Amino acid sequence: MVKRQAETTWQGGKDGSGDFSTESGQVEGTFTFPTRFEDEPGTNPEEVIGAAHSGCFCMQLTALLEGEGYTATELHAVADVHLRPADGGGFEIPQIELTLEADIPDIDEDTFEEIAQQAKETCPVSKALAGPEITLDATLLS
């Protein structure tokens, strides 16, 4: 089994900040309450979830396409992660919207839709985030 690690160190109260990094060192950043809940420049946990989800989805779709004899020229996926106040306090992520634009030679629309939906349902990050509603709007460009 593969294991990946990320860590965060938070310093201070709500006016403080957190630094996160990944085991590989390829992803790191600083976040604060204003970068999460306001428009202050910087990252936040929802962006990191979105990056993980869109990346995982593209990789799963690539594997499924190649299993059916197709190779994408390009896949562009966006994950919009919604954050809102939760009933009873705190916050929740009720929905993630995946949007896909795909350039895949020689594939028909029905096959594309079927494989894209299968990728959404079977990518490991989708499975890990199965609590929120995850929608997919997939557009075949060629």
Side-chain angles (χ1 to χ4, degrees):
M1 175 164 61
V2 176
K3 181 179 99 172
R4 303 289 186 228
Q5 186 178 73
E7 61 183 72
T8 298
T9 301
W10 185 269
Q11 295 178 332
K14 287 179 76 174
D15 61 345
S17 65
D19 293 307
F20 72 92
S21 63
T22 59
E23 182 177 8
S24 68
Q26 296 297 305
V27 180
E28 58 185 35
T30 299
F31 56 94
T32 65
F33 275 78
T35 64
R36 188 175 199 187
F37 296 109
E38 301 169 18
D39 288 332
E40 185 173 301
T43 192
N44 56 68
E46 290 71 36
E47 282 183 340
V48 176
I49 289 170
H53 199 181
S54 62
C56 182
F57 171 72
C58 282
M59 293 177 80
Q60 182 70 0
L61 180 55
T62 296
L64 292 173
L65 286 167
E66 288 195 2
E68 295 296 323
Y70 301 101
T71 300
T73 303
E74 182 174 276
L75 302 174
H76 178 78
V78 176
D80 290 316
V81 179
H82 296 257
L83 180 70
R84 70 174 182 205
D87 293 339
F91 288 83
E92 65 184 357
I93 296 172
Q95 182 179 17
I96 298 172
E97 297 169 321
L98 288 173
T99 304
L100 170 68
E101 291 181 345
D103 186 358
I104 308 166
D106 304 320
I107 194 170
D108 65 85
E109 189 74 36
D110 289 341
T111 302
F112 165 70
E113 275 292 326
E114 180 181 320
I115 295 173
Q117 287 294 331
Q118 184 181 3
K120 177 193 72 114
E121 293 166 9
T122 61
C123 106
V125 173
S126 287
K127 290 178 182 181
L129 300 173
E133 175 188 5
I134 300 171
T135 64
L136 171 63
D137 179 11
T139 303
L140 181 61
L141 299 175
S142 62

